[in-house]
Structures are given as C-alpha cells and as structure tokens.
Amino acid sequence: MERPLYYDFRDVLRAPMRAFSIRKISVMTLFVCLALVSYDVLTYIALAIEGENPGYVWSVYGLFPFLVISFDSTVAAVIFGLGIVLAQLMLMMGFFAVSAINIEEVRGHYFLTFPDAVRFAFRRLPQMFYAELAIALLVGFVILMFFLLGLVTRIPFAGEWLYALFFVFPGFFVALLTVFVILVLQVSLILLPAVAAAERQGESFAAILETFSTIIRQPLRWLGYTAYSLVTAKLCGFVYAYFCFRAVEFMTYAAGLGGGRERVTDLVRSGLSHLPANSDLVRATFNIFPGIDWSFSVYRWTRGGGDEAVGYLMAFMLFLVFASVIGYMLATVATAQARGYVVIRYIKDTYRISEEASLFFTDEPVNPPIGEEGVSGSAKQPK
C-alpha cells in the first residue's frame, strides 16, 4: 500500500507531479497518436467521399482537421462519426492505462511497465466499450420511446390529449433522468477509465454502477477534483511545452558547435515546415491560459527549410515532442481522476482501494511461515 494516503484533496493535489514520469507521459502520448491517426484517416476518407479535395483540406488544417462538418452523404457522415468514436476510445484507453499505473501505485506496486499498461488497456477495451455502449443504448431507447409518442400525436383528436396527459408523468421525469444520463455519458470519457482501472474483475456493469454512484453521491467533490486537474494540466503543460521548446533550441545550438550549425538549423526548419505550427491547437498549447496573452511561438522556425526526405523524418520527431506535451496534460487529468476516485470511493463507501492486492504482482514469502513442517522445532526431521 502507498503511504501516506490522506483520503482527501491532498491525494489529488500532487497529480501534476505524479503524472510527470516517462512511463505515464509515454503511455498517454501513444494513445493520443493512435486517436489522432484514427480521426485523421477516417475524416479525410469521409471528405473524399463527400467530394471535397483532401489535398486542399490538408494544406489548410494538416494533422488537426478539428472542424465542424456537415455531410450530404450518409456514408461520409457515418465514417466521420466512426472516426470520432474511435478517437474517443483511444483516448479512453490512454486514460485507463495511466489510471491503472496510478491505481497499482496506490496498491503498492510501483513497477507496472509501459508494455504491461498498454496490454492491460487493450485487454480492458471491451469493458469500457460495452459500458459506453450500454449508456448510449439507454439514451437511444428513450429517444425511440419519445419518437413513438410523437407518432401518437398524429392520431386525430385523441393523440394530442394523450400527449398532454402524459407530458409531466412519465414524460417530463423520464426526459429529466435522460438528460442526467447524457451528462454522465459525456463525463464518462475521463471518469469511466479510472473506475474501470480500479475494478478488479473487468465487469462493464460494475464500472457503470460506480461511475453513476460517483456522480450522484459526490458530484461537488468530483467536480472540484476535475476542475483542479484541468487548470493545473493546462498550466503545467505550458511550462513543460516551454522547456521542450528551449530543449530543442539548446540541442540545435549545441549540435551546431560541431561546424554544421546551418545544416542542423535547416533540418529543424524543414521539419517544422511540414507541420501546422501556427494552427489553433498549437497556439492554444503554447499559450499559458485562454484569455491571457502570455505565450511563445515556433512559427518563425518554419521559414527557410528545405524539402528533403529527411525533413519528413524530422517532422515526425518534432511531432512526437509536441504530442508528449498533450500527453502530459492528459496524463495529469487521468492521474487526478484515478487518485480522486480512490478518495471518493473511501468517502462514499468506506472502502480502501489501497488495501487491495496488486493485479500484477504477488508478494511471496522467501521462507515458509514458521510452524510448517521442516521449519518449526516440533516438526519432524527427515530421516
């Protein structure tokens, strides 16, 4: 078991520091990249089906085509929606993997490796998918019921009376509960992975139950932990991004001391020229906080580079550096969710997750317990 645990806000307070580890940042960065690839590929396929010019869209938005699109083609709309769903699942797996590392640390196992965390996330993917699907199907079922109620209103004279009669009960109360379910469905993107990581059996129903229980019984505490994690993730992410920027500058300058300063600088410029260095996402990441004009920019480094093939490799490497910034920010949120859930589970159920055994490590005694045959003084000695 990890010591000390206070079972209050102090356990969440250090989330940015606990998230700042190579393991957690790497795991989250991997799933951020998988989410982006899933979204980009299906989005550009949908745009091609719609008849848009993917090359033109790429020249404008590049890797981050985060835009609101209305499709005339049903197939294109379905593919675009599938891309969003896959991207969300990849992000949830990243949240789950980071949460699993934190939950294992709480249980006393500090050495859950990167490959084990990734494999565990893929193994628990059905649990999260079925949990999200069950909530979505419940919302869909209610929508279907209201759709049928709308058909009833088409009945001459009696239809309108029936709709008015059942408007408050059960109609309004069902709609009110459904709105709450939709809210839980939205917040489950970050909460459900933490709940699933702490659930030992991998049951979807148990994850759904604990997710609803957390929101219903401790809404203000969970909201406070989440708000804190979002604010600190942005602030600490900005600091980490600035250090990454200076690290690239330092490495470029130091490598240039060997006589190839111009070549090294051109290589970095070539890499940045292939990336959307001035996109909305990049500007928001390199700004300390929305509404505060305190930022830095890498846009000036995009000028003057060449078009060699090695520039694309450098672009990929620089993209990984930027993705690690997003990975760190999301890892901070996931860490706060996992640590916060440990606190909330104790407060609402008086249950200590820290006293559970690890799912990945069994502490076996070196010697058999005293009193067993061959150890105690009363035991029979072998002939």
Side-chain angles (χ1 to χ4, degrees):
M1 181 180 74
E2 185 182 47
R3 298 289 185 180
L5 284 178
Y6 302 100
Y7 294 104
D8 57 27
F9 179 70
R10 287 173 290 181
D11 293 333
V12 185
L13 188 64
R14 301 173 67 188
M17 185 194 72
R18 295 184 184 279
F20 192 70
S21 73
I22 295 178
R23 251 186 325 163
K24 295 171 186 175
I25 295 176
S26 300
V27 166
M28 196 69 234
T29 301
L30 170 65
F31 285 104
V32 165
C33 293
L34 291 177
L36 184 61
V37 169
S38 302
Y39 176 80
D40 281 355
V41 170
L42 293 178
T43 296
Y44 280 107
I45 290 176
L47 289 171
I49 294 176
E50 186 70 7
E52 299 288 341
N53 186 350
Y56 173 75
V57 178
W58 175 267
S59 65
V60 176
Y61 296 98
L63 290 170
F64 312 126
F66 303 136
L67 62 163
V68 179
I69 309 173
S70 58
F71 293 96
D72 295 328
S73 170
T74 304
V75 176
V78 170
I79 292 177
F80 178 70
L82 182 60
I84 295 177
V85 171
L86 286 178
Q88 290 179 345
L89 284 176
M90 292 297 106
L91 288 178
M92 290 183 69
M93 289 175 66
F95 286 129
F96 176 90
V98 175
S99 297
I101 295 174
N102 281 280
I103 294 296
E104 285 297 303
E105 288 176 350
V106 169
R107 290 169 177 160
H109 180 217
Y110 298 91
F111 306 104
L112 182 62
T113 63
F114 175 92
D116 287 339
V118 173
R119 283 195 294 266
F120 190 38
F122 277 101
R123 193 162 64 245
R124 286 291 186 89
L125 174 60
Q127 178 191 17
M128 292 185 290
F129 174 74
Y130 290 135
E132 291 286 284
L133 182 62
I135 300 175
L137 287 178
L138 176 61
V139 175
F141 176 76
V142 174
I143 293 175
L144 177 62
M145 292 297 100
F146 280 114
F147 171 78
L148 296 177
L149 181 60
L151 293 179
V152 171
T153 61
R154 300 171 66 91
I155 301 175
F157 184 75
E160 296 177 354
W161 281 91
L162 288 174
Y163 182 80
L165 179 64
F166 295 109
F167 182 82
V168 173
F169 185 82
F172 172 75
F173 290 100
V174 172
L176 190 62
L177 291 174
T178 305
V179 170
F180 173 74
V181 172
I182 294 174
L183 175 64
V184 174
L185 179 62
Q186 294 174 339
V187 303
S188 66
L189 177 65
I190 58 176
L191 177 59
L192 181 64
V195 174
E199 207 280 312
R200 301 182 65 86
Q201 304 301 323
E203 296 179 355
S204 298
F205 180 75
I208 295 174
L209 185 63
E210 281 299 323
T211 300
F212 275 88
S213 176
T214 299
I215 299 299
I216 292 173
R217 298 179 60 182
Q218 295 291 330
L220 295 181
R221 181 171 276 107
W222 176 83
L223 187 61
Y225 292 167
T226 302
Y228 167 77
S229 68
L230 293 174
V231 172
T232 55
K234 184 65 184 75
L235 295 177
C236 295
F238 169 77
V239 174
Y240 175 64
Y242 181 76
F243 273 86
C244 289
F245 170 65
R246 292 305 182 188
V248 172
E249 275 193 333
F250 171 77
M251 185 167 57
T252 303
Y253 173 79
L257 294 177
R261 177 177 302 178
E262 183 178 351
R263 181 55 186 156
V264 172
T265 303
D266 287 344
L267 186 58
V268 174
R269 292 180 183 276
S270 298
L272 283 174
S273 66
H274 299 303
L275 297 174
N278 200 36
S279 65
D280 294 339
L281 177 63
V282 174
R283 287 198 302 268
T285 304
F286 292 164
N287 190 65
I288 187 169
F289 208 74
I292 301 177
D293 188 16
W294 190 12
S295 63
F296 63 93
S297 176
V298 297
Y299 186 65
R300 64 183 179 87
W301 285 82
T302 61
R303 304 185 185 95
D307 197 29
E308 300 89 347
V310 69
Y312 290 94
L313 177 60
M314 179 57 70
F316 176 72
M317 296 302 174
L318 291 172
F319 168 76
L320 289 181
V321 174
F322 176 77
S324 72
V325 177
I326 305 298
Y328 171 56
M329 290 192 289
L330 295 182
T332 300
V333 176
T335 299
Q337 289 295 309
R339 301 276 173 166
Y341 176 69
V342 172
V343 174
I344 291 175
R345 182 72 188 277
Y346 174 74
I347 292 174
K348 71 183 182 70
D349 297 328
T350 321
Y351 183 83
R352 299 177 185 264
I353 295 177
S354 57
E355 295 181 354
E356 294 179 345
S358 169
L359 291 175
F360 297 88
F361 175 76
T362 302
D363 189 11
E364 298 181 356
V366 177
N367 298 312
I370 297 176
E372 289 189 359
E373 184 175 347
V375 177
S376 67
S378 61
K380 295 182 179 180
Q381 299 297 326
K383 296 182 179 180

